[in-house]
């Protein structure tokens, strides 16, 4: 039975005060000592004007089990609800952190999910998009553009396309849209997932690449791109025009196929050292075309580095300056050479003479100067004309060159005057032998325009004596000696200082 103290202290005072008891849970002990859970209800009543109490006892063993099961089910539901809320929050955190628009649209094109990225593109919070028809979000024009893709997605076909979208601030962006159908096990499409990625920067980069590629191809300068080992990766059309090599002939090959062999290995070592240190090199370099002809290029090479500072490629930009160089060489040649014979002129002669005198001042070295004036040339020129006269001068120049060493210099000062600079002759006697031989070859007959003509020469010789003697002084001595030779009967030679 229920505890007597509990009945006396709790139940009976409550019954006397309120006149009833409702759903009081007790445990009764039966005759064999088993505890039986019961619910007690009691109501104060009058029966035949006698106050009485009616007690009703409900055995609650099955009810208690049901309540326990119900309680556990509620607890499990609460746990699942909490877990679901955590997962939803986690999913929301991920999708809101992604730089793409993510949404789910049901088969009626009503939004059931949208992430935070929609704020940037449409100015609407996800909570404002839920339950919204896609047409209300996109607007009439954009909706009609997307409608064919929406219909095919709801038919179970995945869709991918690009679209230009106007943002809330009025700017335009480019997006790559993917519609992925949501199909159940029976093949019924319940809606589709929308993944829309911002490709504005990619489009801008693509446009920049296209522009660079256009410039790469249309520029008049040759461009060659190599890897760090000088293996050619790409060339432009100007490269083909300047070198004769088509792109397919050089890509994958070493850039040294353009090597003209006019530069030493040290030249290229210095070039790459400067590239590695400064990241660029500029200069002029001789290269070889496909047809083996050699040309001079003005070349600029830049090293391209990655974020780690490592060289990933080299870009060379060049143009052909051979013609410009040839013009420069011609101008320089004309400045220092005789226009008729091609021999050095007075400027070049004096430069070489001064250099040899400077060397003779430092070491044991002889320097001799021969001043030649043709005998009888004026008569030939007057009788047969300037064309024959010019031919005679060129023939004499050729004969003089044929009698001398490469280290010696034959120059024409003008008219019928020639000067020969002898570099370190063996002796005075050897100089005399040379002078005699020169007189002989000049006196040989010359056949010009069917005519046989003769000229001779008088030679004055000056020998460097050292001290403060200058190049001009030595030339003057040789000139004076030449006049002495003419006075003595022509076709002879005289050393300066001889009577």
């Amino acid at each position: 039975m229920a505890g007597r103290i509990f009945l006396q202290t709790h139940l009976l005072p409550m019954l006397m005060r309120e006149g009833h008891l409702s759903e009081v849970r007790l445990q009764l002990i039966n005759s064999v000592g088993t505890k039986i859970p019961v619910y007690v209800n009691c109501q104060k009543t009058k029966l035949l004007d006698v106050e009485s109490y009616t007690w009703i006892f409900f055995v609650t063993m099955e009810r208690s089990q049901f309540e326990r099961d119900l309680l556990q089910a509620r607890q499990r539901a609460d746990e699942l609800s909490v877990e679901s809320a955590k997962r939803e929050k986690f999913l929301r955190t991920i999708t809101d952190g992604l730089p793409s628009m993510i949404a789910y649209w049901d088969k009626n094109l009503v939004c059931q999910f949208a992430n935070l990225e929609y704020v940037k593109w449409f100015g609407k919070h996800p909570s404002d998009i839920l339950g919204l028809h896609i047409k209300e979000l996109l607007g009439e024009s954009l909706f009609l553009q997307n409608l064919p893709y929406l219909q095919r997605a709801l038919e179970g076909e995945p869709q991918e396309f690009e679209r230009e979208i106007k943002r809330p601030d009025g700017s335009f962006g480019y997006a790559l849209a993917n519609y992925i159908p949501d199909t159940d096990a029976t093949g019924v499409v319940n809606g589709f997932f929308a993944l829309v990625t911002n490709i504005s920067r990619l489009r801008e980069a693509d446009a920049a690449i296209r522009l660079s590629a256009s410039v790469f191809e249309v520029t008049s300068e040759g461009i060659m791109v190599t890897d760090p080992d000088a293996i050619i990766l790409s060339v432009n059309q100007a490269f083909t025009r300047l070198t004769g090599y088509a792109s397919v002939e050089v890509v994958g090959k070493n850039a040294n196929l353009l090597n003209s062999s006019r530069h030493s290995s040290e030249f290229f070592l210095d070039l790459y050292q400067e590239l590695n240190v400064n990241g660029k090199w500029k200069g002029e370099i001789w290269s070889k075309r496909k047809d083996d002809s050699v040309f001079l290029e003005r070349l600029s090479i830049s090293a391209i580095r990655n974020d780690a500072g490592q060289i990933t490629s080299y870009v060379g930009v060049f143009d052909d300056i051979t013609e410009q160089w040839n013009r420069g060489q011609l101008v320089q040649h004309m400045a220092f050479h005789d226009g008729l014979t091609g021999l050095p002129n007075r400027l070049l002669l004096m430069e070489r003479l001064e250099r040899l005198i400077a060397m003779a001042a430092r070491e044991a070295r002889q320097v001799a100067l021969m001043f030649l004036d043709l005998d009888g040339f004026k008569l030939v020129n007057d009788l047969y004309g300037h064309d024959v006269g010019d031919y005679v001068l060129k023939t004499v120049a050729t004969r003089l060159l044929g009698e001398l060493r490469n280290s010696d210099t034959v120059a024409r000062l003008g008219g019928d005057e020639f000067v020969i600079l002898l570099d370190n002759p063996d002796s005075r006697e050897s100089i005399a032998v040379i002078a005699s031989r020169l007189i002989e070859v000049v006196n040989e007959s010359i056949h010009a325009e069917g005519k046989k003509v003769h000229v001779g020469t008088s030679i004055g010789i000056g020998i460097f004596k050292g001290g403060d003697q200058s190049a001009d002084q030595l030339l003057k001595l040789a000139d004076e000696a030449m006049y002495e030779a003419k006075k003595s009967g022509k076709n002879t030679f005289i050393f300066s200082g001889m009577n």
Side-chain angles (χ1 to χ4, degrees):
M1 293 188 67
R4 182 178 299 170
I5 296 176
F6 180 75
L7 291 173
Q8 291 177 348
T9 58
H10 290 78
L11 296 185
L12 290 179
M14 185 185 300
L15 181 60
M16 297 297 293
R17 182 175 63 255
E18 299 180 3
H20 65 89
L21 295 174
S22 297
E23 296 291 318
V24 177
R25 188 173 183 177
L26 298 176
Q27 282 188 339
L28 302 181
I29 301 175
N30 63 12
S31 59
V32 295
T34 302
K35 295 181 179 180
I36 301 174
V38 297
Y39 280 101
V40 178
N41 290 275
C42 183
Q43 182 67 44
K44 183 179 179 180
T45 60
K46 280 188 177 184
L47 184 61
L48 300 177
D49 296 327
V50 179
E51 289 186 354
S52 60
Y53 295 90
T54 302
W55 296 80
I56 300 175
F57 296 88
F58 294 98
V59 178
T60 63
M61 293 182 67
E62 293 182 359
R63 180 175 173 180
S64 296
Q65 182 62 43
F66 172 76
E67 288 179 344
R68 284 194 297 273
D69 292 343
L70 181 59
L71 179 61
Q72 290 177 356
R74 286 178 177 175
Q75 290 174 342
R76 180 58 181 162
D78 290 341
E79 291 173 358
L80 291 175
S81 177
V82 171
E83 185 67 24
S84 177
K86 287 181 179 179
R87 290 180 179 177
E88 182 179 352
K89 183 178 180 182
F90 179 69
L91 179 62
R92 171 65 67 180
T93 301
I94 292 176
T95 56
D96 284 345
L98 293 175
S100 300
M101 287 182 283
I102 301 174
Y104 180 85
W105 303 87
D106 64 21
K107 59 185 177 181
N108 296 317
L109 298 180
V110 175
C111 184
Q112 302 299 326
F113 176 86
N115 70 342
L116 199 59
E117 189 70 12
Y118 275 82
V119 174
K120 297 180 181 179
W121 285 84
F122 293 98
K124 292 181 180 294
H125 194 273
S127 61
D128 299 325
I129 300 175
L130 295 180
L132 198 66
H133 192 278
I134 196 169
K135 183 177 181 180
E136 297 179 65
L137 177 69
L138 300 180
E140 181 76 22
S141 176
L142 190 56
F143 172 74
L144 292 177
Q145 293 180 52
N146 287 13
L147 184 57
Y149 302 101
L150 295 170
Q151 292 171 337
R152 287 194 287 269
L154 292 176
E155 292 170 359
E157 299 179 23
Q159 302 295 304
E160 180 176 286
F161 58 95
E162 292 184 14
R163 184 69 70 228
E164 185 181 48
I165 301 176
K166 187 176 182 179
R167 298 189 181 97
D169 62 2
S171 64
F172 286 89
Y174 291 92
L176 174 65
N178 286 271
Y179 293 163
I180 301 99
D182 176 25
T183 307
D184 63 19
T186 63
V188 175
V189 178
N190 298 314
F192 64 89
F193 299 93
L195 174 62
V196 184
T197 304
N198 182 5
I199 60 170
S200 300
R201 291 185 179 178
L202 293 177
R203 287 290 293 268
E204 292 171 0
D206 181 64
I209 291 173
R210 290 175 184 272
L211 177 61
S212 298
S214 298
V215 173
F216 182 81
E217 288 300 334
V218 304
T219 182
S220 61
E221 296 176 309
I223 300 176
M224 178 175 66
V225 182
T226 74
D227 68 9
D229 297 320
I231 301 301
I232 299 174
L233 303 176
S234 178
V235 298
N236 68 345
Q237 294 179 8
F239 175 94
T240 299
R241 175 175 53 80
L242 293 170
T243 67
Y245 285 106
S247 176
V248 294
E249 295 177 301
V250 297
V251 170
K253 296 183 179 179
N254 196 289
N256 62 13
L257 62 84
L258 300 176
N259 193 336
S260 67
S261 299
R262 289 198 177 187
H263 301 281
S264 65
S265 57
E266 289 77 12
F267 172 85
F268 290 102
L269 287 174
D270 292 342
L271 185 155
Y272 277 103
Q273 183 177 2
E274 184 172 342
L275 261 180
N276 292 329
V277 173
N278 301 323
K280 57 185 178 180
W281 181 89
K282 290 184 179 181
E284 297 177 358
I285 185 170
W286 289 96
S287 295
K288 183 176 66 175
R289 295 188 179 93
K290 182 179 178 180
D291 62 5
D292 288 334
S293 63
V294 175
F295 69 103
L296 182 65
E297 60 178 90
R298 181 186 290 112
L299 175 63
S300 173
I301 307 176
S302 298
I304 308 301
R305 300 179 184 272
N306 59 19
D307 294 339
Q310 299 170 323
I311 294 177
T312 58
S313 58
Y314 296 106
V315 177
V317 180
F318 68 94
D319 57 0
D320 183 354
I321 60 169
T322 309
E323 185 176 345
Q324 178 182 342
W325 182 83
N326 286 337
R327 287 198 301 267
Q329 290 296 106
L330 179 60
V331 170
Q332 184 177 19
H333 183 84
M334 292 174 63
F336 291 97
H337 292 79
D338 173 51
L340 176 65
T341 63
L343 296 176
N345 61 11
R346 178 185 288 269
L347 285 174
L348 186 54
L349 170 69
M350 299 306 290
E351 178 184 308
R352 293 180 179 179
L353 177 56
E354 288 172 355
R355 184 168 65 249
L356 288 180
I357 288 176
M359 294 173 64
R362 298 191 300 270
E363 58 189 44
R365 191 183 199 92
Q366 285 215 58
V367 178
L369 208 60
M370 294 182 172
F371 201 116
L372 288 73
D373 185 88
L374 299 184
D375 298 327
F377 175 76
K378 185 177 184 305
L379 178 61
V380 170
N381 210 32
D382 292 341
L383 288 176
Y384 303 113
H386 293 292
D387 290 343
V388 173
D390 289 346
Y391 182 80
V392 169
L393 291 174
K394 289 189 285 186
T395 302
V396 170
T398 302
R399 290 178 179 179
L400 294 177
L401 287 171
E403 298 300 320
L404 298 170
R405 304 167 300 174
N406 291 332
S407 59
D408 299 326
T409 298
V410 179
R412 179 181 176 226
L413 301 190
D416 59 354
E417 295 180 336
F418 295 84
V419 174
I420 295 173
L421 172 60
L422 299 178
D423 179 14
N424 201 23
D426 293 335
S427 63
R428 185 184 182 94
E429 290 72 19
S430 65
I431 298 173
V433 171
I434 294 172
S436 297
R437 180 59 187 158
L438 293 178
I439 292 173
E440 289 180 13
V441 297
V442 170
N443 274 272
E444 292 176 1
S445 299
I446 299 174
H447 296 274
E449 297 183 1
K451 302 174 181 63
K452 183 179 180 180
V453 298
H454 293 85
V455 292
T457 184
S458 298
I459 303 175
I461 303 171
I463 298 177
F464 178 66
K465 301 297 185 180
D468 295 331
Q469 192 177 43
S470 67
D472 289 329
Q473 289 172 340
L474 184 57
L475 180 62
K476 184 178 180 181
L477 290 176
D479 185 21
E480 292 173 347
M482 181 270 295
Y483 280 106
E484 292 297 327
K486 279 188 173 294
K487 291 178 182 178
S488 65
K490 302 180 180 180
N491 255 347
T492 187
F493 65 88
I494 289 181
F495 285 88
S496 175
M498 294 179 58
N499 293 325

